[in-house]
Amino acid sequence: MTVLILGGTGEARRLAAQVTAITSLAGRVSNPRLPSGEVRVGGFGGVDGLADYLRANGITAVVDATHPFAARITANAFAATSRLGVPFLILRRPGWTPRPGDDWRWVPSVGDAVDLPGDRVFLTTGRQDIAAFADAPQWFLARMVEPPSPPMPARIEVLLDRGPFTVDGELDLMRRHRIDVLVTKDSGGEMTSAKLVAARQLGLPVVIVRRPTLPDAPVVETVEAAVSWLGTAGA
């Protein structure tokens, strides 16, 4: 039995440490954190390319443990596995839920986040979404792992950094840059929630992009549940 994990998240790395699998990484980060076991890097070439890969490598189950906003690969994986009758599971960490004191403004897409309530923006949506804010008049502190490509806002400072981050560190960062609004995606997970705690303590509004809709496939929220599913799937 051969399992393919579509990776790039902490959950994918933890799953790869518990099962024998091939982990596929998109290759968008120059120095990714590599999981245990066999790793491939790069795209598949759409649904047809992924289906060809599954056939050629005798893949018997696929676990999509990609980022919650990696909608294209999730859709392609669902289509390819459905075509071949290969068991398919989505592993997604729970999304964030507001707590007392939070001032969250939910939006359906990054494009809808452009209408911002503040003048100094802490932007943590990732480098691929910078272009959506290119014409915005606000000043941006944009944090990401890899340098962005234009177009970008005229008033922007790029901070290249990788978590996990601490609440104290996020408080210091927001205070030093006089941030008055945080813009982020509902990525979920504890490692990225420090900025939300800091925003709550500072009384800042947070614009949060909702997750894309998932295909009609089994979904679990923990690595343990994914391991259990693989056992029942015969993988």
Side-chain angles (χ1 to χ4, degrees), residues 168-203:
D168 287 343
E170 298 291 66
L171 284 168
D172 178 68
L173 184 69
M174 294 184 194
R175 285 170 175 150
R176 281 191 291 109
H177 291 279
R178 307 191 310 280
I179 299 299
D180 53 23
V181 60
L182 168 65
V183 180
T184 191
K185 294 176 175 178
D186 182 18
S187 300
E190 290 302 315
M191 288 200 305
T192 51
S193 63
K195 60 191 172 190
L196 299 177
V197 177
R200 182 189 311 132
Q201 292 185 12
L202 295 173

Side-chain angles (χ1 to χ4, degrees), residues 66-81:
T66 56
H67 190 275
F69 284 82
R72 179 176 297 178
I73 184 59
T74 298
N76 287 352
F78 178 68
T81 53

Side-chain angles (χ1 to χ4, degrees), residues 90-229:
I90 299 173
L91 170 57
R92 285 289 184 277
R93 69 187 73 142
W96 292 318
T97 55
R99 299 181 182 180
D102 284 327
D103 179 11
W104 290 5
R105 323 284 178 87
W106 292 92
V107 293
S109 69
V110 172
D112 294 296
V114 174
D115 187 15
L116 299 167
D119 295 317
R120 296 182 67 83
V121 182
F122 185 20
L123 184 63
T124 64
T125 57
R127 65 187 176 97
Q128 294 184 340
D129 297 309
I130 286 289
F133 300 90
D135 296 326
Q138 289 91 346
W139 180 88
F140 290 86
L141 174 65
R143 184 171 67 194
M144 59 202 69
V145 177
E146 299 281 330
S149 300
M152 292 187 289
R155 303 168 61 212
I156 185 171
E157 178 177 333
V158 175
L159 175 61
L160 300 181
D161 203 356
R162 174 184 284 169
F165 303 104
T166 66
V167 173
D168 287 343
E170 298 291 66
L171 284 168
D172 178 68
L173 184 69
M174 294 184 194
R175 285 170 175 150
R176 281 191 291 109
H177 291 279
R178 307 191 310 280
I179 299 299
D180 53 23
V181 60
L182 168 65
V183 180
T184 191
K185 294 176 175 178
D186 182 18
S187 300
E190 290 302 315
M191 288 200 305
T192 51
S193 63
K195 60 191 172 190
L196 299 177
V197 177
R200 182 189 311 132
Q201 292 185 12
L202 295 173
L204 301 182
V206 182
V207 177
I208 303 184
V209 180
R210 293 188 185 276
R211 294 181 176 190
T213 302
L214 292 175
D216 186 18
V219 181
V220 297
E221 294 184 341
T222 67
V223 171
E224 293 74 20
V227 172
S228 177
W229 179 87

